Amino acid sequence: MSVFLLSFLASLVITMLVIRYQRLHGWFSADSDLAGVQKFHDLPVPRIGGLGIFVAVLLAMFWRLFENASVAGFGLVLLVAALPAFGFGFVEDVTKRVGVSVRLLATAVSAALAGWLLGAWLPSLQIFGVDTLMAAYPWLAIVITCFAVAGVANAFNIIDGYNGLSAMVGVIILGGIAYVAFQLADFHIMIAALGLMGALLGFLVWNYPRGLIFLGDGGAYFVGFWIAELSVLLTARHPEVSKWFPLLLCFYPIFETVFTIFRRVVIGKTHPGLPDAAHLHQLIYRRVVRWAVGDDCVKKKTQRNALTSPYLWVMASLAVVPATIFWNNTLALQLIAALFAGSYIWVYREIYKARFPK
């Protein structure tokens, strides 16, 4: 628990200092684009919350060196591997000039580093035909792992649209990882999960519900990378863990990304990377929460922003809880994944078609 508490306190204090001294750095760190299609705040807000989270995990891992050098070393090596993913995202936060393709490539490089340093490669996918190819061509496992890790990291960035949404989803998923790691007595992964959980909760004190600071691309990519790598390592180090466990664990952000690409390319006939305001969390804000909470004053808009996130926390939990229960039962995980996908599409369709007050 020392890692959890230290990362929580460090994140709490560092994030508070970033907010307190916003006047010194806000000219480059604040999200001042208030008119963007995906913007739902009225005042410039620092978008470098990922800095406090990264530093908090780093400090917690250094502190762990005095208690267990092996566990701390594992976390520090993973932090080294995370540097490209976090670094390029953070540069985007302060310059607004790093494209999504560059950030994805940087995250793939981080995945390759983690694979090289920690052996974090997906051994198989438990999909007929694909596993045979991965066994015959080892380089394919490397490509699939890097693609999957980059995709999960980008998925966390996509759902980072409202106060507390992406960070709390990360906490929920990390709880599932920590529980399964505890069941397997893999304390390296469990401590790494608890370290990031504490840092995210310290950040959430300031991010939810008031939105005093944002996670930013650096934070979202770091959280997504950390979760993806711990999931890969669980399956790589423990063959009894179903390869569908990490998929269902992160199914909400993953399916949101896949559905968004399908919606934009197939239905909208547009570029998959073109921003829009039609994500599920945006539909819930516009068509479920917005009409129910007051006028358009800043206080009411902030309240609506915060009220949107719990809907998605529940949705994420509907995948994480059964994934944690059936972590070694592939068939059950596959059936639940199919049920979740169908439920997501049904909910999206019903909200989109429903008649609400203007």
Side-chain angles (χ1 to χ4, degrees):
M1 291 299 292
S2 61
V3 166
F4 176 86
L5 291 174
L6 180 58
S7 63
F8 171 81
L9 292 174
S11 176
L12 182 74
V13 173
I14 294 170
T15 306
M16 178 190 68
L17 293 174
V18 171
I19 297 169
R20 174 66 178 80
Y21 294 103
Q22 179 183 350
R23 67 183 186 280
L24 301 179
H25 56 79
W27 61 274
F28 67 85
S29 67
D31 188 352
S32 302
D33 178 14
L34 307 181
V37 68
Q38 296 181 335
K39 306 298 182 178
F40 294 91
H41 56 286
D42 289 281
L43 299 172
V45 176
R47 53 178 289 174
I48 55 172
L51 178 64
I53 293 170
F54 185 90
V55 174
V57 175
L58 178 64
L59 292 175
M61 292 303 163
F62 268 119
W63 177 262
R64 189 69 182 182
L65 283 171
F66 297 101
E67 300 177 354
N68 190 317
S70 176
V71 170
F74 172 87
L76 291 171
V77 169
L78 193 56
L79 279 168
V80 170
L83 281 173
F86 169 72
F88 278 82
F90 187 78
V91 172
E92 159 63 14
D93 291 331
V94 298
T95 67
K96 322 298 189 290
R97 295 180 179 178
V98 182
V100 64
S101 58
V102 176
R103 282 173 273 147
L104 284 171
L105 179 60
T107 309
V109 170
S110 284
L113 281 173
W116 176 49
L117 296 171
L118 296 171
W121 305 116
L122 285 169
S124 68
L125 297 179
Q126 291 181 309
I127 298 176
F128 180 75
V130 177
D131 291 353
T132 303
L133 289 173
M134 292 176 69
Y137 305 101
W139 59 267
L140 186 59
I142 296 175
V143 172
I144 290 175
T145 301
C146 293
F147 176 81
V149 172
V152 171
N154 187 59
F156 272 86
N157 192 46
I158 285 177
I159 67 169
D160 185 27
Y162 292 93
N163 299 343
L165 176 51
S166 186
M168 183 55 76
V169 169
V171 169
I172 294 168
I173 293 173
L174 286 163
I177 292 174
Y179 171 80
V180 173
F182 176 77
Q183 295 296 311
L184 297 166
D186 193 329
F187 298 111
H188 294 76
I189 293 178
M190 186 186 78
I191 294 300
L194 290 174
L196 183 55
M197 280 182 69
L200 285 172
L201 288 171
F203 162 81
L204 279 165
V205 170
W206 307 108
N207 172 252
Y208 188 86
R210 294 177 294 171
L212 300 178
I213 189 168
F214 294 158
L215 195 59
D217 286 7
Y221 274 89
F222 174 61
V223 171
F225 168 81
W226 197 266
I227 286 173
E229 284 299 334
L230 293 183
S231 300
V232 170
L233 283 162
L234 265 180
T235 64
R237 291 156 67 110
H238 305 281
E240 63 269 37
V241 178
S242 171
K243 308 306 178 289
W244 282 74
F245 165 68
L247 176 63
L248 184 58
L249 200 66
C250 303
F251 206 67
Y252 161 57
I254 290 174
F255 194 78
E256 174 70 34
T257 303
V258 173
F259 184 75
T260 297
I261 294 172
F262 171 82
R263 175 172 52 77
R264 290 174 180 171
V265 174
V266 178
I267 300 176
K269 309 297 183 184
T270 60
H271 190 278
L274 187 67
D276 60 26
H279 293 293
L280 178 59
H281 51 269
Q282 292 166 327
L283 284 186
I284 291 174
Y285 174 87
R286 293 180 182 277
R287 312 204 69 186
V288 177
V289 177
R290 186 176 184 180
W291 66 269
V293 183
D295 52 32
D296 279 337
C297 70
V298 173
K299 182 178 179 180
K300 292 297 184 181
K301 292 181 75 171
T302 301
Q303 184 181 355
R304 288 197 296 268
N305 188 314
L307 287 174
T308 301
S309 296
Y311 288 93
L312 286 310
W313 298 345
V314 172
M315 175 163 281
S317 299
L318 293 177
V320 172
V321 171
T324 304
I325 295 173
F326 300 105
W327 57 269
N328 58 352
N329 188 328
T330 298
L331 180 59
L333 294 172
Q334 290 173 333
L335 292 174
I336 295 167
L339 179 62
F340 185 96
S343 300
Y344 177 101
I345 294 171
W346 178 80
V347 169
Y348 189 99
R349 181 174 178 270
E350 290 301 308
I351 295 177
Y352 186 83
K353 291 175 61 179
R355 298 175 64 87
F356 292 98
K358 292 185 179 180

